[in-house]
Amino acid sequence: MSNENTEEAMVLQAQIEHLQAEVSALQRQQEDNQKDVTFHFRGQMQDAMLSVCGQRQGDEKEKVLSRLMEEVEELEEDLMLQTQINGIRLTGCTTKTLQSSSRKLVQQLCISGYCSELLFQVEFQLSEVKQGSGCVRTISELNVVIDAGEMQNFSSFLSGVEESRDLLLFFRTLRSFSDRCDDRRRTFQHFQEKYPSVVSLPAGCRSEVMHLSHPELSGCVLVVHWSVHVSSEGGVSPKVELLTKIPERALQLFPSQAVGGAAEAFQSLLRILGAEAALEAVIMAVSLS
């Protein structure tokens, strides 16, 4: 055999050995992944995973798969019930194992979903360490993204949540914030449909602003600004204000005290009547102008 053929054979032999090493590594990784999966399940779910992994055969495999289908249906029912209770619907969940041993498991999770019309994505690392007969779970590297026009109201709160890694507080506050936004949307939409000649929503019913104006008073507008604030501790509170937008010429026709006191008078109505009744009182006053 020539030197050239000998060198080529040695190169091919090295490539073969390299590929064999890669195959062995992938096989070990697959076995570890199967162990990771079955480690977290008990009972029927663990039997099903062992069956899927090829460790059960024949009629037993069919029985296990049948039980798995029943288990999945029960989980889907539980998930639907939880969604109805907490108002949060999950649309995606991905898991990546970063570290796995007999004592410790570290996974990277990414959860996405929506609450009402607020889209969110949560990424974090979940560590599970076995201690005695149980295990301790901790969350780290939490990152939350919300696709909402009112993101500025969430900024300080999200910073605190990411620092404290309090997922329960995040989801509880997200639900409360979404409920208050839905209250505002329903109220704005109701008044626009009931008083179409007076009420307008320049940015839609989910915005923070509602305009009140009389058809015969061109340029005179009362602006209702309804914001929902979230404190760094997760407290959710609506804030409704009445602002005036009146041309300078029109201001000369009214006593300054009456116009300037509109905002204070509206706040008094809010305290006495509540948001909807106070707004309707102002709308009725504008419609009779």
Side-chain angles (χ1 to χ4, degrees):
M1 181 180 294
S2 65
N3 291 336
E4 183 179 348
N5 290 337
T6 301
E7 292 177 358
E8 184 177 353
M10 292 177 63
V11 171
L12 291 175
Q13 181 64 30
Q15 291 179 347
I16 291 172
E17 293 176 355
H18 180 70
L19 290 174
Q20 288 175 339
E22 286 188 352
V23 170
S24 298
L26 290 173
Q27 288 175 342
R28 287 194 299 270
Q29 183 178 356
Q30 183 181 17
E31 292 173 358
D32 291 340
N33 290 340
Q34 291 174 359
K35 291 178 182 178
D36 289 344
V37 172
T38 56
F39 177 77
H40 295 287
F41 293 106
R42 296 292 184 270
Q44 296 179 0
M45 290 295 287
Q46 187 175 41
D47 291 341
M49 294 309 303
L50 291 173
S51 175
V52 172
C53 294
Q55 300 181 24
R56 302 291 174 89
Q57 296 179 351
D59 295 338
E60 185 179 0
K61 178 183 287 189
E62 293 182 2
K63 292 179 181 179
V64 172
L65 290 176
S66 176
R67 291 200 299 269
L68 174 61
M69 293 300 297
E70 294 177 359
E71 189 87 1
V72 170
E73 291 176 358
E74 292 177 1
L75 291 173
E76 289 177 344
E77 292 177 0
D78 290 342
L79 179 60
M80 185 177 299
L81 179 61
Q82 288 294 326
T83 300
Q84 293 174 352
I85 293 174
N86 58 38
I88 297 175
R89 183 177 296 275
L90 301 181
T91 57
C93 179
T94 59
T95 304
K96 179 181 179 182
T97 300
L98 304 179
Q99 179 183 345
S100 178
S101 66
S102 59
R103 285 195 64 258
K104 186 175 182 180
L105 175 66
V106 181
Q107 293 178 313
Q108 180 78 32
L109 284 86
C110 179
I111 301 173
S112 58
Y114 58 90
C115 183
S116 186
E117 296 187 12
L118 300 177
L119 303 178
F120 66 86
Q121 179 175 294
V122 180
E123 295 183 357
F124 59 94
Q125 284 189 13
L126 177 64
S127 301
E128 295 187 5
V129 180
K130 293 186 65 177
Q131 291 186 357
S133 59
C135 65
V136 177
R137 296 180 176 88
T138 57
I139 292 175
S140 60
E141 298 187 19
L142 177 61
N143 181 37
V144 182
V145 178
I146 296 181
D147 183 14
E150 298 174 275
M151 184 60 195
Q152 68 274 11
N153 295 332
F154 253 98
S155 57
S156 61
F157 168 69
L158 287 183
S159 298
V161 164
E162 291 175 343
E163 183 176 352
S164 64
R165 303 182 295 279
D166 194 339
L167 275 178
L168 179 60
L169 176 62
F170 165 71
F171 285 115
R172 185 169 61 240
T173 304
L174 179 66
R175 172 64 188 274
S176 299
F177 179 79
S178 177
D179 287 345
R180 300 294 78 76
C181 289
D182 284 342
D183 291 342
R184 180 185 60 200
R185 175 189 57 79
R186 285 190 295 266
T187 302
F188 280 6
Q189 191 170 7
H190 165 72
F191 285 138
Q192 186 186 41
E193 294 172 354
K194 187 174 181 179
Y195 305 99
S197 61
V198 175
V199 176
S200 63
L201 304 173
C205 60
R206 295 200 66 86
S207 71
E208 297 182 345
V209 177
M210 178 172 66
H211 286 185
L212 310 178
S213 60
H214 193 280
E216 297 181 2
L217 297 177
S218 178
C220 298
V221 179
L222 294 181
V223 180
V224 177
H225 185 259
W226 185 332
S227 57
V228 181
H229 292 269
V230 182
S231 70
S232 57
E233 296 79 19
V236 179
S237 58
K239 183 178 181 181
V240 188
E241 298 176 291
L242 183 67
L243 310 174
T244 58
K245 183 180 177 182
I246 301 176
E248 187 66 28
R249 185 177 179 182
L251 285 174
Q252 299 174 0
L253 303 177
F254 299 94
S256 59
Q257 185 62 34
V259 176
E264 290 78 6
F266 177 72
Q267 292 301 316
S268 298
L269 284 177
L270 276 177
R271 289 190 291 270
I272 298 172
L273 303 177
E276 291 191 17
L279 285 173
E280 185 150 27
V282 174
I283 293 171
M284 291 293 294
V286 173
S287 63
L288 296 176
S289 298

